[in-house]
Amino acid sequence: MTVTTPEPGHPASKAILIADDHPVLRRGLAALIESEPDLSVCGEAATRAAALKAIRATRPDLVIVDLLLGDDDGLDLIKAMKIHHPKIPALVLSMHDESVYAERSLQAGAMGFVSKQQLDETLLLAIRRVLKGEMYLSEKLEARLAMKYLGGETMETDASLEALSDRELQVFRLIGEGHSTRQIAKLLNLSVKTIESHLEHIKHKLTLTSSVELAQRAIQWIESGSGDR
């Protein structure tokens, strides 16, 4: 965890905390944010625990959250913020598939979702919009959600993956990354039996008949880029 003391002379700047496990990306984000006179970076964190500690220490105006924080899950950080720091908004910045993860992020409590491929004016626009108390969504996502809640889902999406719970999708991603059941249990601090139960639920929801099929489907999903950071 890195905590930064804001420089004097910028009393009106909004403090941003960056929660991302990539040091190079954090430096790039910090440089982009610090180049704006009305924004400043008050701290950085690479894990869920470090992020929560930094939030308590710095009381930021906004937290930028990656969905993968080392072995942690960014969605869990957002949910914890919703409980312990409900007035501090979260903005997700991720390489994850928007069609799968954006709505989950919003349901967890995030105020917006931006692709890591948009580290430019789009991110700055999203930051300022969320700081004003507004949601930020891409035009494609806004259209998709509008169609969905009007009862006519027409935009391309992987409906079967949408049926998975957040934890099941997390386990599915880890399977695709090559982790064994025992390794996943250790990473998520859960019992092997619990992970096995999740795997059975995943197979049922995805209409897969074996663990081999499940692993193949998960690997294909990762290789397609849909499960990337």
Side-chain angles (χ1 to χ4, degrees):
M1 178 187 72
T2 302
V3 175
T4 304
T5 302
E7 294 183 8
H10 297 283
S13 66
K14 295 295 185 179
I16 313 296
L17 178 72
I18 302 171
D20 192 293
D21 66 347
H22 289 81
V24 174
L25 182 60
R26 290 202 306 271
R27 288 197 291 271
L29 284 175
L32 176 65
I33 293 168
E34 291 285 356
S35 69
E36 299 296 306
D38 59 329
L39 304 174
S40 64
V41 175
C42 65
E44 302 175 12
T47 66
R48 174 181 175 276
L52 290 172
K53 184 176 180 180
I55 291 170
R56 290 193 297 269
T58 64
R59 306 301 298 179
D61 295 295
L62 180 147
V63 181
I64 294 177
V65 180
D66 184 10
L67 291 180
L68 283 181
L69 299 172
D71 293 333
D72 294 326
D73 192 319
L75 290 178
D76 288 340
L77 170 59
I78 296 168
K79 292 172 183 177
M81 286 177 59
K82 195 71 175 177
I83 296 172
H84 301 292
H85 307 283
K87 294 183 179 181
I88 299 177
L91 172 65
V92 172
L93 179 64
S94 179
M95 282 297 289
H96 276 76
D97 186 350
E98 181 185 74
S99 68
V100 176
Y101 282 95
E103 190 171 355
R104 291 175 188 272
S105 299
L106 301 181
Q107 291 171 344
M111 290 289 288
F113 188 102
V114 179
S115 167
K116 281 186 176 179
Q117 297 172 340
Q118 298 174 309
L119 297 181
D120 50 19
E121 290 79 5
T122 301
L123 175 60
L124 295 174
L125 171 64
I127 288 173
R128 292 193 171 95
R129 188 170 293 178
V130 172
L131 285 170
K132 290 193 297 183
E134 302 173 1
M135 300 283 292
Y136 177 82
L137 304 174
S138 69
E139 292 183 1
K140 180 180 179 181
L141 181 59
E142 284 184 344
R144 180 187 161 211
L145 292 179
M147 292 301 299
K148 179 175 181 177
Y149 291 107
L150 287 174
E153 179 81 72
T154 59
M155 299 191 71
E156 183 177 351
T157 182
D158 193 332
S160 57
L161 288 184
E162 285 193 347
L164 302 183
S165 69
D166 291 345
R167 180 66 81 190
E168 288 165 354
L169 188 61
Q170 186 179 25
V171 171
F172 183 71
R173 173 177 58 77
L174 291 170
I175 286 290
E177 292 176 354
H179 296 283
S180 68
T181 301
R182 191 168 298 278
Q183 289 171 333
I184 295 172
K186 185 176 181 180
L187 286 171
L188 302 183
N189 196 28
L190 296 171
S191 70
V192 171
K193 185 175 181 179
T194 297
I195 299 303
E196 290 173 344
S197 177
H198 284 314
L199 293 175
E200 288 302 315
H201 291 155
I202 294 169
K203 284 191 289 185
H204 175 73
K205 291 180 179 180
L206 301 185
T207 62
L208 303 172
T209 59
S210 69
S211 297
V212 173
E213 285 187 1
L214 171 57
Q216 290 174 339
R217 175 72 182 277
I219 291 169
Q220 289 171 356
W221 185 62
I222 291 293
E223 290 180 345
S224 73
S226 297
D228 288 348
R229 296 166 181 262

